[in-house]
Amino acid sequence: MRMKRALITLWLVLSAAAPARAEDGYDLWLRYRPVTDAARLAEYRAAVTQLVVDGDSPTLRAARDELRTGLRGLLGADVPLSASATRDGAVIVGTPASSRTIGALGLGDALRAVGREGYVVRATRVGGRRAIVVAANSDVGALYGAFRFLRQLQTYGTLANLAVASAPKIQLRLLNHWDNLNRSVERGYAGHSLWAWDTLPDASNPRYRDYARANASIGINGAVLTNVNANARILTPEYLAKVAALANVFRPYGVRVYLTARFSAPIEIGGLKTADPLDPAVRAWWKAKIDSIYALIPDFGGFTVKANSEGQPGPQDYHRTHADGANMFAEALAPHGGVVMWRAFVYSNEVPVDRVKQAYTEFKPLDGQFRDNAFVQVKNGPLDFQPREPFSPLFGAMPKTPLMMEFQVTKEYLGQDTHLVYLGQEFEEVLRSDTWAKGKGSTVAKVIDGSLHGYARTGIAGVSNIGDDRNWTGSQFNQANWYAYGRLAWDPEMSASDIADDWLRMTFTNDPSFVRAVKAMMKTSREAVVNYMTPLGLAHIMATGHHYGPGPWVGGPNTRMRADQTPTYFHRADSLGLGFDRTATGSNALEQYAPPIRARWGNQRTVPDSVLLWFHHVGWTERLPATHGRPLWDELVARYNAGVDSVRAMQRTWDAQRGKVDDERFRDVQSFLAIQEKEARWWRDAALTYFQSFSHLPIPARYEQPAHPLQYYLQVRCPANRDKPRCDNVP
Ligand code: GCV
C-alpha cells in the first residue's frame, strides 16, 4: 500500500513537471488532465482496473474510445480492455441486448425508468467482484452514461456507492447553426462555419467528430446545419451528398442532422412557378425532395423553417397560414419519422402596433391546426434575445401544439465574443418563469418538457455559438454557454450554478478556491451585462445592424429604417420619462399573459424592477418600489454604474486566479475582461448622456462622470457586416 502511494506521488510529481499540453481551449470540457488529488486518484485506480465494453456498434466503439482516452488521461495509465470482468474494478458498459452481464444484473426496473436515451451508472458486484456498470437501453444511452461516468472522475466525485440514473426530459435537444454555404455564420463570433462545404463530401476533418463528441457529452442529439435565412441550394443533390457525409460522422454520437428549408425552393431549384403550400405540384415536389433526402440519410431529422419573417418567403405570400405551410412539410416528413420546426419569430412587412405582440397574435389562433409532427419554435422572449426579456407569452398559450424553446447561445446582443456572460443564469430564469397557464407552477420548463399540456413530442433549440476558432466559441467562457445549454436541454430544471460548477472543474481545475470564486463571478455576469446595457427592462438599444455597442439614439423620422427596428421605438424616452407602455393604456401587450401576471406586471406598485420599463413609461423623477423608492433617473444611474462595478469585480476575481490555471487561458480571459470593462463604461456613459438629454437631470457627484459628451458617443463607428465588429474610438 505504502509502495503504491509512493508510486502515485512520484507520478503526480512527474506529471506536474512534464511540459504542459497547450491549453488553447480546443479540448473544451473534455480535457481529461491527470487527477491531482492523491486520495481520489488512489480511489479511482483501485475502482477502475479494466474496461469491458460489450458490443461492437459504432456507438459502443465511440464509448469505448472515449473511456480509454479519458481514463488514460485522468489516471495516467491505460486501463486494459477485457472481454469480461476478471478482477475487482471492471467498468462494464453496454445494454441488455449487447451484454449478457448487464442483462443478468436485474436492472430491469432501473432501465425501464430511464427510457431510450437514459442510463444507469452504478457501483455493484459482478460475479462476486467489485464493478461499475454503465448500462442503458440503447447504445447511445450507454455512450451518454460513459460521459457521465467520466464526469464523475473529472469533477473528483467519489465512486463509492455510485448510483446515478438519468434520462433526458426533452426529446429533441438541438443546436441551430446559422451557417451559410459560403462558411460565414450569421451572428457568429467564433470564426467561420465548421462545415467546409467546398471540401465535403470527400474530405473529412477531425473537428466534425470532436464536435459530435462534445455534443454527445452533454446530450445534444441533433444539429440543424444551416441558417434559418435559408439557401435553397442546400437541397440540391450536390449539397445533400455533403450533408450525408456529415451525418455519417455524427451518427455514432447520436447526433442527427437537420436542415433549414427555404420556402421558395420549389421555384428556385425546382423550376415551379409557385411555392403555394396547397398547390399539388408544390406538395409533390417537397415530397419527392424529402424522399430523396431520406434515401441518402435514413435518420435525417427534418426541417427548421423561418417563413414570412424579415423578408423570408412563406405561406402568407399565397394567403395561406403558417399552419398550411408547416403541415405541407409535416405530411411529407411523417412517413420517415421526421419533424418540421416552424419558427414563431415573425416580423411582418407591416409595422405593427407593438412588435413584441406579433408572434402571439399570429400563432395563438392557429393552436390545434398543426399536424402532430410539427413544432412551433418560439424564442425565449417576445422580442429578440435581449440581455433580459420577460418570457414569451406564447409559452402556455398553445396547449395543443408542441412548442419548442429557442435560446440564443451565441451572444448577439450580449457583447458577442469578448464579454464574459454566463447564459446559464438567463436560461434558468426563463425556464423557471411561471406562465400560470394552468395555475401556479406552470413553468416554461414544464411547457417545453411536455408535462404541462401532455405534448407527445418535445424539443429545444439553441442557436449555436460554434465556429472554427481554435477554442470553438470565440472565447474560453463562451464554451460554458454551449455546455449549459446542453445540460439544461437534458434537464431544464437543473440549477445553472451546479452546471457552472461542473463546467469549471472539467474545463479549468478542481481547486476549490478557484471553483468557488469563479462560479460566483459567472453567476453575477449576466446581471452585470443587463445593468450596463439594458437595466430595468430596457431593450434593443444596441447599435443597429451588428448589435454591438450602444445606439439608443438610432431612430426617429430621419432614419430610413422601419420604426420597429430602431432603439427609439423600444425605449420611448421623452421629456416626461422612459419606457414602453405595454399596459391597457398603451399597446396592451400585457393582455397576452395570464391574469395573475397581468395584475402584477401591469401595476407600477408591484411590477418587478426586471421588467419595469418593458411594460411602463415611468416619469424621470417617479419613485416606485421597483426603483427602490428612488427617482427613476437616480436608479438608472445607479444600475449603469453597478454594471461597470460588477465587471471590475469580475476582473479582480479573475486576477486572483493567476497560477491556478494555465497561463494561456488565464491571459486570454484577462484580456477580454479588460475589453469588457472598457466597453461597459462606454455603454454606461453613452446611454446615460443620451437619456440625460431627455431627463435634464445631473449624474450625482458620487458616481464617475461620463468621459465625453453625448456628441462623442454618437460618432463611434462599428463597421457592420464583420464577424467581430471592433469599433473605432471606443473611449
Ligand atoms: C437569422 C434577429 C437576428 C437575425 C436573425 C433573426 C432570426 O433578427 O438579428 O440575424 O436571423 O433574429 O432569428 O431569424
Side-chain angles (χ1 to χ4, degrees):
M1 187 66 192
R2 275 249 224 72
M3 181 68 176
K4 204 166 167 191
R5 280 263 152 107
L7 283 174
I8 290 174
T9 311
L10 179 66
W11 176 74
L12 284 175
V13 170
L14 288 177
S15 54
R21 259 158 72 184
E23 289 279 14
D24 52 17
Y26 183 87
D27 292 342
L28 297 161
W29 47 90
L30 301 175
R31 288 165 61 253
Y32 305 132
R33 296 297 190 265
V35 173
T36 54
D37 176 317
R40 276 285 181 254
L41 182 61
E43 179 194 339
Y44 297 162
R45 286 186 156 183
V48 181
T49 61
Q50 58 182 186
L51 190 56
V52 181
V53 180
D54 283 335
D56 193 35
S57 70
T59 300
L60 287 172
R61 281 203 296 275
R64 182 196 64 201
D65 292 349
E66 196 69 33
L67 285 164
R68 294 201 79 189
T69 311
L71 293 172
R72 184 186 310 124
L74 289 157
L75 306 187
D78 270 326
V79 174
L81 278 176
S82 171
S84 60
T86 54
R87 53 180 188 245
D88 274 345
V91 176
I92 306 168
V93 184
T95 67
S98 78
S99 163
R100 254 197 284 143
T101 314
I102 287 178
L105 275 178
L107 292 171
D109 285 349
L111 283 177
R112 253 186 303 284
V114 297
R116 200 190 75 80
E117 290 179 296
Y119 53 79
V120 172
V121 180
R122 229 185 236 187
T124 184
R125 295 195 91 83
V126 172
R129 301 185 182 93
R130 280 187 292 105
I132 292 171
V133 168
V134 178
N137 295 308
S138 65
D139 292 357
V140 78
L143 175 67
Y144 292 153
F147 279 113
R148 174 63 188 87
F149 172 64
L150 286 166
R151 187 195 329 145
Q152 190 73 6
L153 276 65
Q154 290 174 280
T155 55
Y156 292 10
T158 182
L159 299 182
N161 308 318
L162 187 62
V164 180
S166 185
K169 292 189 181 149
I170 298 180
Q171 294 158 10
L172 303 186
R173 305 175 298 278
L174 311 187
L175 281 176
N176 283 191
H177 292 266
W178 287 356
D179 293 17
N180 298 314
L181 302 189
N182 65 3
R183 295 193 70 184
S184 63
V185 180
E186 182 152 349
R187 311 305 179 186
Y189 314 104
H192 296 105
S193 168
L194 282 182
W195 328 132
W197 297 114
D198 46 345
T199 52
L200 281 164
D202 304 321
S204 196
N205 178 328
R207 287 194 89 147
Y208 300 153
R209 194 182 71 103
D210 286 339
Y211 163 84
R213 276 178 61 226
N215 278 334
S217 76
I218 48 179
I220 288 174
N221 64 2
V224 185
L225 299 178
T226 45
N227 192 351
V228 288
N229 290 329
N231 185 332
R233 276 173 63 215
I234 193 68
L235 301 174
T236 58
E238 180 197 352
Y239 274 87
L240 288 174
K242 300 169 192 275
V243 173
L246 289 175
N248 291 341
V249 181
F250 299 168
R251 189 168 294 113
Y253 294 89
V255 178
R256 295 169 86 173
V257 300
Y258 298 73
L259 293 173
T260 48
R262 183 157 164 89
F263 200 80
S264 49
I267 303 173
E268 290 167 25
I269 57 166
L272 301 190
K273 294 243 157 9
T274 175
D276 181 347
L278 298 193
D279 184 295
V282 172
R283 297 175 85 82
W285 186 87
W286 278 113
K287 187 177 173 321
K289 178 54 68 187
I290 287 167
D291 291 347
S292 76
I293 297 176
Y294 279 94
L296 279 175
I297 311 166
D299 56 354
F300 178 67
F303 290 126
T304 301
V305 185
K306 172 175 177 177
N308 293 118
S309 173
E310 299 188 320
Q312 292 297 309
Q316 292 175 343
D317 303 349
Y318 306 94
H319 309 290
R320 313 294 186 198
T321 68
H322 285 294
D324 292 331
N327 289 341
M328 170 183 67
F329 289 102
E331 190 181 292
L333 288 159
H336 304 284
V339 298
V340 61
M341 296 161 283
W342 196 266
R343 294 178 85 228
F345 177 73
V346 284
Y347 202 162
S348 75
N349 297 332
E350 290 88 52
V351 177
V353 187
D354 182 352
R355 166 147 169 230
V356 308
K357 291 175 75 170
Q358 205 174 335
Y360 182 102
T361 309
E362 286 195 28
F363 278 85
K364 163 107 183 117
L366 299 177
D367 191 25
Q369 295 184 27
F370 291 89
R371 289 182 62 110
D372 64 6
N373 59 331
F375 287 93
V376 171
Q377 181 168 314
V378 183
K379 287 189 180 182
N380 60 274
L383 180 51
D384 193 13
F385 301 135
Q386 297 303 295
R388 172 170 279 129
E389 295 183 38
F391 67 90
S392 164
L394 271 175
F395 292 114
M398 295 186 69
K400 297 189 212 128
T401 312
L403 297 186
M404 276 178 77
M405 167 64 72
E406 180 176 314
F407 281 129
Q408 195 181 46
V409 187
T410 190
K411 305 199 315 297
E412 174 180 352
Y413 294 93
L414 291 91
Q416 302 179 359
D417 54 335
T418 44
H419 294 209
L420 193 164
V421 182
Y422 174 51
L423 294 177
Q425 301 305 130
E426 179 190 315
F427 301 157
E428 178 188 87
E429 176 179 294
V430 175
L431 292 165
R432 292 185 180 183
S433 297
D434 198 343
T435 68
W436 284 85
K438 285 179 145 186
K440 193 168 165 43
S442 306
T443 60
V444 172
K446 292 198 162 71
V447 174
I448 61 163
D449 74 11
S451 57
L452 192 72
H453 298 305
Y455 295 154
R457 293 176 188 265
T458 54
I460 184 167
V463 179
S464 147
N465 61 353
I466 302 160
D468 72 351
D469 271 7
R470 184 67 193 160
N471 66 21
W472 300 87
T473 55
S475 86
Q476 306 297 344
F477 271 82
N478 277 346
Q479 296 178 358
N481 296 331
W482 177 7
Y483 183 82
Y485 165 70
R487 295 289 303 276
L488 283 165
W490 182 275
D491 180 359
E493 288 178 342
M494 260 204 91
S495 125
S497 175
D498 292 350
I499 295 172
D501 197 289
D502 283 345
W503 179 78
L504 283 167
R505 290 171 186 278
M506 295 195 280
T507 307
F508 285 106
T509 167
N510 278 282
D511 177 337
S513 69
F514 173 89
V515 174
R516 200 176 321 111
V518 181
K519 184 167 60 171
M521 174 183 96
M522 288 171 76
K523 285 167 69 179
T524 57
S525 62
R526 189 294 186 102
E527 211 54 44
V529 76
V530 168
N531 278 335
Y532 67 74
M533 287 189 182
T534 51
L536 296 170
L538 285 173
H540 218 305
I541 60 171
M542 293 73 195
T544 306
H546 48 69
H547 299 152
Y548 194 81
W553 43 81
V554 179
N558 296 332
T559 47
R560 271 175 299 153
M561 300 169 56
R562 292 168 53 133
D564 62 339
Q565 286 179 333
T566 61
T568 58
Y569 170 94
F570 287 106
H571 64 63
R572 310 255 155 150
D574 58 23
S575 60
L576 300 178
L578 179 63
F580 198 136
D581 180 3
R582 294 192 163 105
T583 68
T585 54
S587 76
N588 209 11
L590 201 53
E591 75 180 341
Q592 298 180 335
Y593 291 90
I597 300 179
R598 259 185 254 161
R600 178 152 180 255
W601 291 356
N603 182 336
Q604 290 207 353
R605 310 302 309 169
T606 52
V607 63
D609 55 7
S610 53
V611 290
L612 175 67
L613 302 175
W614 184 281
F615 286 109
H616 298 272
H617 190 72
V618 180
W620 291 112
T621 55
E622 232 177 304
R623 295 169 187 267
L624 296 171
T627 63
H628 299 104
R630 295 193 274 214
L632 171 67
W633 172 252
D634 290 24
E635 182 64 11
L636 197 68
V637 174
R639 289 301 178 103
Y640 272 108
N641 277 284
V644 175
D645 291 346
S646 307
V647 178
R648 289 176 180 158
M650 283 160 60
Q651 286 184 293
R652 286 193 296 276
T653 302
W654 188 253
D655 286 347
Q657 310 312 317
R658 189 190 294 276
K660 294 187 204 165
V661 300
D662 53 284
D663 263 13
E664 293 103 315
R665 290 183 303 164
F666 175 80
R667 280 197 303 270
D668 244 23
V669 174
Q670 195 180 40
S671 59
F672 277 11
L673 281 168
I675 296 176
Q676 188 173 1
E677 195 272 341
K678 185 168 74 167
E679 296 188 347
R681 275 188 281 121
W682 171 34
W683 261 98
R684 176 195 65 188
D685 295 350
L688 286 179
T689 51
Y690 170 72
F691 290 132
Q692 196 175 32
S693 69
F694 295 91
S695 77
H696 301 293
L697 293 167
I699 293 172
R702 65 179 178 283
Y703 295 112
E704 276 171 32
Q705 298 297 305
H708 302 280
L710 174 59
Q711 241 7 71
Y712 181 90
Y713 300 105
L714 298 180
Q715 53 78 46
V716 175
R717 289 278 168 274
C718 306
N721 303 323
R722 286 183 46 186
D723 264 4
K724 302 183 181 196
R726 285 288 164 266
C727 310
D728 304 326
N729 312 325
V730 174

